[in-house]
Amino acid sequence: MARVVNFFKTVRNNWKKSFVGAAAISYGVNYGIDSYDTQNMMREFCEEAVKYGDVPIAPKVQPTHMTVILNPVAKKRKAKKLFEKYCEPLLHLAGIAVTVIQTESENQARTLVANLNTRTDGIIVAGGDGTLSDVVTGLMRKYQGNAGYVKQCPVAILPLGMTNRVADSLLNRDDEYSEARALAEATMAIVRGNTKLLDVVEVTTLENDPENPMKPVYAVGAIEWGAWKDANSRVDKYWYFGPLRKYVTYIFNGHKEDLNWKCVATIRYSDPCEGCSRCYQEQNSPIETSSKRWWHAFVPRQKTSHSEHSHIDYSKVDNENCGIFKEVPISTTDFFLSTKNVRRKNEDTGVKVELGPKSVNYTDFVSEGWRRISGKKQEPQKILNAKDIEIHPEKDESFEDKSRMFYIDNEEFELKAVKIRLLSRSVKMFCPQNGS
């Protein structure tokens, strides 16, 4: 009993050291438990992957080969290490040959994919939504936007970026998902071969500039414009605040005039369409078969690129409202356009445009910014559901000497008048469960 009393007296007399010691012990215990759970999880996935690798293949059939587009600066420059630790071993155990190509500059992934001429059975994106958008853009440009060809080259996404909306949606990822489990689950989706067709939006400029023509850019997740996104893009500038940098970003930027506080534009949009004769003619253009393409080295020629929709004859479906544009003016502090790929409740077709408040004070701006850090968001003031959209932004005199920006899958683009066209079910992606 005396020893117990002396112990508590010692703790009371040295409470600062005792507090630090208790915190260190608690951290060590939690770290040990997490490491143990991760090790058991990886063992289970490895045992499953080996079963796929042990399946014999015919003598003349080459092993599955995947090309990895790795963004080495993603995840605070930890992307390569995490890929080699949690993803690459599972691929090798499953008998999948892997070629890793690291990007060296921004948007280089587009060029790498567009110029890819080696045998591959799919592309793995080791990065975030921005890298995924670049890869899809490279594919669509290579095939000149023809979805029939793009579907022959499936894409996988490993959540290694700052923003992983598409991967989180495919994985149904929540707060209980650890980083290691998310990467392992995404990798096993490749091993199991489960795929799902996702929508893509094509962004083209409406301003003709012969000297600097803008090629179409393709997005899979979201297009954003407004004050909160402008502030969020500056998070890395406050790195010295450590885990608090996201919170101080909104505190320090809530009064700055160079944010897009006034998103004023005219929007022309057409209503969503699940498929009709007009869409059929637009999205099912004839495929050129006379010349040999690079993917014929590893993917057999297909007689038709739309066999997945053979049970529905869209050419006989009539929709008089398809392609009819409406025009509305908008004035908001937050413009958010999303595909159903990143909406957990994706019963809505087409793209969804959410408009925030017309104006906001400093306190509400900071509060909403902190709310978004936790994955929540205030209810939009107005919602538009559309298939195709044209955005005609009005000139803002306060930005005469600066460039206004909007963000396509988290990548910056100069704000211009653009047309956003929905390409339904245009890219095949690996996911944990097979989808329609």
Side-chain angles (χ1 to χ4, degrees):
M1 185 65 182
R3 291 182 179 180
V4 175
V5 173
N6 289 334
F7 172 78
F8 282 106
K9 285 183 178 180
T10 303
V11 171
R12 182 190 64 185
N13 296 333
N14 302 275
W15 65 270
K16 292 182 180 179
K17 294 181 181 179
S18 301
F19 177 79
V20 173
I25 293 173
S26 177
Y27 175 81
V29 171
N30 289 331
Y31 180 81
I33 294 174
D34 291 341
S35 298
Y36 179 77
D37 292 341
T38 300
Q39 186 177 10
N40 287 338
M41 176 202 68
M42 288 300 298
R43 181 184 293 110
E44 293 177 2
F45 282 133
C46 287
E47 291 174 353
E48 181 183 354
V50 167
K51 295 179 181 178
Y52 288 88
D54 289 342
V55 176
I57 59 176
K60 295 184 179 180
V61 176
Q62 295 183 346
T64 301
H65 176 265
M66 303 294 289
T67 301
V68 180
I69 304 297
L70 173 65
N71 182 1
V73 301
K75 216 68 172 179
K76 300 179 183 178
R77 301 187 179 276
K78 297 179 181 178
K80 182 178 180 181
K81 181 179 179 180
L82 291 171
F83 170 76
E84 293 174 345
K85 185 175 182 179
Y86 297 114
C87 305
E88 195 170 22
L90 296 176
L91 295 172
H92 289 316
L93 288 172
I96 299 176
V98 177
T99 298
V100 181
I101 304 176
Q102 297 188 44
T103 59
E104 299 178 353
S105 60
E106 188 177 357
N107 299 332
Q108 187 189 17
R110 303 176 189 176
T111 305
L112 292 174
V113 173
N115 296 331
L116 189 65
N117 56 7
T118 57
R119 188 189 78 85
T120 187
D121 295 299
I123 297 176
I124 300 175
V125 181
D129 288 344
T131 308
L132 175 61
S133 175
D134 282 342
V135 168
V136 172
T137 296
L139 283 172
M140 298 296 283
R141 287 180 180 178
K142 187 176 187 68
Y143 303 139
Q144 298 180 347
N146 196 309
Y149 288 145
V150 177
K151 292 175 184 177
Q152 297 185 44
C153 186
V155 179
I157 175 68
L158 304 178
L160 286 167
M162 178 182 295
T163 305
N164 302 288
R165 289 195 183 103
V166 178
D168 291 346
S169 178
L170 290 174
L171 294 170
N172 289 321
R173 186 180 178 185
D174 52 30
D175 295 337
E176 296 180 357
Y177 249 66
S178 66
E179 184 176 65
R181 174 168 288 278
L183 292 172
E185 286 281 8
T187 306
M188 290 307 299
I190 304 170
V191 174
R192 297 163 184 155
N194 299 329
T195 59
K196 180 180 182 180
L197 289 174
L198 300 187
D199 293 346
V200 174
V201 291
E202 178 189 66
V203 184
T204 55
T205 181
L206 295 174
E207 300 176 0
N208 294 324
D209 188 356
E211 297 182 358
N212 298 303
M214 177 182 172
K215 294 182 179 180
V217 177
Y218 297 85
V220 185
I223 298 174
E224 301 170 82
W225 174 29
W228 282 282
K229 184 57 184 176
D230 282 348
N232 182 260
S233 66
R234 305 176 184 184
V235 168
D236 290 339
K237 294 182 179 180
Y238 304 98
W239 59 269
Y240 42 86
F241 283 96
L244 298 178
R245 66 186 184 280
K246 293 183 179 180
Y247 294 92
V248 300
T249 297
Y250 295 104
I251 295 176
F252 291 160
N253 288 273
H255 60 278
K256 292 190 176 181
E257 297 180 356
D258 57 348
L259 301 187
N260 279 293
W261 296 105
K262 296 181 180 179
C263 302
V264 182
T266 299
I267 292 182
R268 298 182 68 247
Y269 71 97
S270 61
D271 291 330
C273 179
E274 296 184 356
C276 68
S277 57
R278 298 187 185 187
C279 296
Y280 181 87
Q281 294 173 1
E282 177 183 350
Q283 299 182 15
N284 295 268
S285 56
I287 298 178
E288 181 184 353
T289 57
S290 59
S291 60
K292 186 176 180 180
R293 302 290 183 176
W294 67 269
W295 65 85
H296 291 149
F298 59 91
V299 176
R301 291 174 182 260
Q302 297 183 0
K303 295 181 180 180
T304 175
S305 62
H306 302 283
S307 58
E308 299 180 35
H309 292 282
S310 58
H311 60 288
I312 301 178
D313 188 357
Y314 289 110
S315 63
K316 297 182 180 180
V317 179
D318 186 28
N319 182 3
E320 297 180 354
N321 295 323
C322 181
I324 304 301
F325 279 81
K326 305 175 184 178
E327 186 173 302
V328 295
I330 66 167
S331 179
T332 180
T333 53
D334 184 43
F335 176 97
F336 184 81
L337 181 149
S338 63
T339 65
K340 67 178 182 179
N341 305 331
V342 297
R343 300 197 294 264
R344 296 299 176 95
K345 296 181 179 180
N346 58 5
E347 60 272 5
D348 296 332
T349 59
V351 296
K352 184 177 182 180
V353 178
E354 301 176 43
L355 303 176
K358 185 175 181 180
S359 61
V360 63
N361 58 41
Y362 176 82
T363 303
D364 291 340
F365 174 80
V366 175
S367 299
E368 173 61 15
W370 289 6
R371 189 182 297 113
R372 296 188 180 198
I373 293 173
S374 61
K376 300 178 182 179
K377 191 177 180 181
Q378 66 179 353
E379 291 296 324
Q381 300 288 320
K382 187 175 183 179
I383 295 177
L384 298 175
N385 292 309
K387 177 177 179 289
D388 298 329
I389 298 177
E390 291 182 5
I391 304 175
H392 300 267
E394 294 186 6
K395 185 177 180 181
D396 191 342
E397 296 180 356
S398 61
F399 278 82
E400 287 184 354
D401 300 327
K402 303 172 185 176
S403 297
R404 290 190 296 169
M405 296 292 175
F406 72 114
Y407 302 81
I408 301 176
D409 277 343
N410 215 41
E411 295 293 320
E412 286 188 356
F413 288 86
E414 184 178 356
L415 183 64
K416 295 181 178 180
V418 295
K419 180 178 181 179
I420 301 170
R421 187 165 68 102
L422 176 66
L423 305 177
S424 299
R425 301 165 58 87
S426 294
V427 61
K428 182 182 291 184
M429 292 198 64
F430 290 95
C431 63
Q433 299 294 330
N434 277 319
S436 57

